Amino acid sequence: MLNVGQLNEGVVLDHIEAGKAMSIYKYLKLDHMDCCVAIIKNAHSNKMGKKDIIKIECPIDELDLNVLGFIDHRITVNIIQDARIVAKKELTLPKKLVNIIHCKNPRCITSIEQELDHIFFLADAENEVYRCQYCEEKYRSSRKKQ
Ligand SMILES: [Zn+2]
């Protein structure tokens, strides 16, 4: 059983691939949030050997958890309320990514107009292919490349 410690309200992200915790920290913009975060690196896991865990104490609706589906849909998202796990969130590939990945096409309007949001939409769910909304430049999720 997962030890949620002193967490009253927030989320515990479990089964993060070892070494990925810091990139998730950045994707969730936790460095800009005034909340209590505990990162556990290289925790023992029967299933994975090693894993990372992130515990975040904050109102749940302040977190954009959809981006996690893009990073790794195998992450377990435990929703904590009153120091207990009240729900687990299923992760799916988001249909749309705003300012998560950036278009690499030098001719794309987002390379010229700095204020534009970088918007990608899911073009092919099976192969996890995203395309830039403006120029259709392809972006493939990194874990599919391996
Ligand atoms: Zn583009």
Side-chain angles (χ1 to χ4, degrees):
M1 190 62 199
L2 194 64
N3 176 19
V4 297
Q6 301 299 308
L7 221 57
N8 284 314
E9 184 182 5
V11 292
V12 175
L13 308 177
D14 197 6
H15 302 112
I16 298 167
E17 192 183 317
K20 288 274 182 72
M22 281 317 288
S23 60
I24 289 168
Y25 182 87
K26 292 203 187 93
Y27 274 121
L28 290 177
K29 301 182 170 64
L30 294 172
D31 47 340
H32 300 297
M33 286 175 69
D34 185 27
C35 58
C36 178
V37 180
I39 294 176
I40 298 149
K41 283 178 64 180
N42 298 325
H44 175 74
S45 163
N46 289 331
K47 203 162 70 177
M48 304 167 70
K50 277 192 287 183
K51 65 178 179 180
D52 290 355
I53 302 167
I54 305 180
K55 301 180 183 187
I56 307 158
E57 177 147 44
C58 72
I60 291 145
D61 44 357
E62 284 185 14
L63 283 172
D64 178 16
L65 295 171
N66 289 327
V67 70
L68 291 173
F70 169 70
I71 301 164
D72 188 347
H73 63 279
R74 291 162 300 186
I75 295 170
T76 307
V77 181
N78 301 287
I79 310 288
I80 312 296
Q81 256 161 4
D82 302 320
R84 283 182 306 137
I85 297 172
V86 292
K88 286 182 191 278
K89 186 178 159 66
E90 283 285 318
L91 292 175
T92 52
L93 281 175
K95 294 266 183 292
K96 190 172 154 187
L97 297 169
V98 180
N99 294 327
I100 303 298
I101 47 180
H102 286 216
C103 187
K104 298 230 165 64
N105 177 2
R107 291 181 306 275
C108 180
I109 189 156
T110 56
S111 302
I112 300 152
E113 306 270 335
Q114 302 290 325
E115 311 84 55
L116 270 182
D117 283 335
H118 287 249
I119 302 171
F120 278 72
F121 63 91
L122 184 61
D124 180 350
E126 197 178 323
N127 295 307
E128 300 182 24
V129 174
Y130 283 86
R131 283 183 187 277
C132 174
Q133 177 165 293
Y134 308 98
C135 71
E136 304 233 320
E137 178 88 348
K138 202 165 159 183
Y139 181 94
R140 269 191 137 206
S141 169
S142 57
R143 66 172 183 270
K144 278 278 172 173
K145 276 185 209 150
Q146 292 158 8

